[in-house]
Amino acid sequence: MQILSYVSFAIGFIFLIGSVVGVVRFADGYQKMQSVTIATSMSMFWFALGAALYCQSATFAVKAFLIYLFLLITSAVSSHMVVRASLEAGIPVLGKVNRFSEGGDEK
């Protein structure tokens, strides 16, 4: 079981590295926020799974996945709030703009 937990931790670490690459490579804050939110949510799943496999306790596994669900919900909500506030503050979006949004001409 420890080998599976180490593999799970490694997969979670790879997702975190992908998040860092997204922050460095993407052009504007909106794209960076999307990269961080998705990659962090995936990495936290693998970390919770690895911790549950490592401890081999049902109560600890339930606690780890409840923490994961809390982080999943709060991460999505907080990133949505930050992006919404950025849009309302007038921070421009770089790259393609959704044609179906208000004033959606592509730049």
Side-chain angles (χ1 to χ4, degrees), residues 1-15 42-43 45-47 49-51 53-54:
M1 269 313 177
Q2 285 186 348
I3 300 295
L4 289 175
S5 68
Y6 293 147
V7 169
S8 179
F9 288 139
I11 293 170
F13 184 71
I14 289 170
F15 275 107
M42 285 301 298
S43 67
F45 168 77
W46 289 104
F47 285 141
L49 180 65
L53 289 174
Y54 187 79

Side-chain angles (χ1 to χ4, degrees), residues 4-48:
L4 289 175
S5 68
Y6 293 147
V7 169
S8 179
F9 288 139
I11 293 170
F13 184 71
I14 289 170
F15 275 107
L16 278 180
I17 294 297
S19 174
V20 170
V21 169
V23 167
V24 172
R25 296 281 300 168
F26 285 144
D28 66 355
Y30 302 108
Q31 295 170 350
K32 291 178 183 190
M33 183 64 70
Q34 184 263 346
S35 168
V36 168
T37 303
I38 291 176
T40 304
S41 298
M42 285 301 298
S43 67
M44 293 314 297
F45 168 77
W46 289 104
F47 285 141

Side-chain angles (χ1 to χ4, degrees), residues 24-101:
V24 172
R25 296 281 300 168
F26 285 144
D28 66 355
Y30 302 108
Q31 295 170 350
K32 291 178 183 190
M33 183 64 70
Q34 184 263 346
S35 168
V36 168
T37 303
I38 291 176
T40 304
S41 298
M42 285 301 298
S43 67
M44 293 314 297
F45 168 77
W46 289 104
F47 285 141
L49 180 65
L53 289 174
Y54 187 79
C55 290
Q56 297 179 355
S57 169
T59 57
F60 186 82
V62 169
K63 289 177 186 178
F65 281 105
L66 285 176
I67 291 170
Y68 164 69
L69 287 176
F70 176 75
L71 288 173
L72 184 70
I73 292 168
T74 56
S75 174
V77 170
S78 64
S79 66
H80 172 75
M81 290 173 61
V82 168
V83 168
R84 180 82 171 192
S86 299
L87 282 172
E88 289 177 359
I91 298 174
V93 178
L94 301 177
K96 292 185 178 179
V97 177
N98 186 358
R99 289 184 187 208
F100 299 108
S101 65

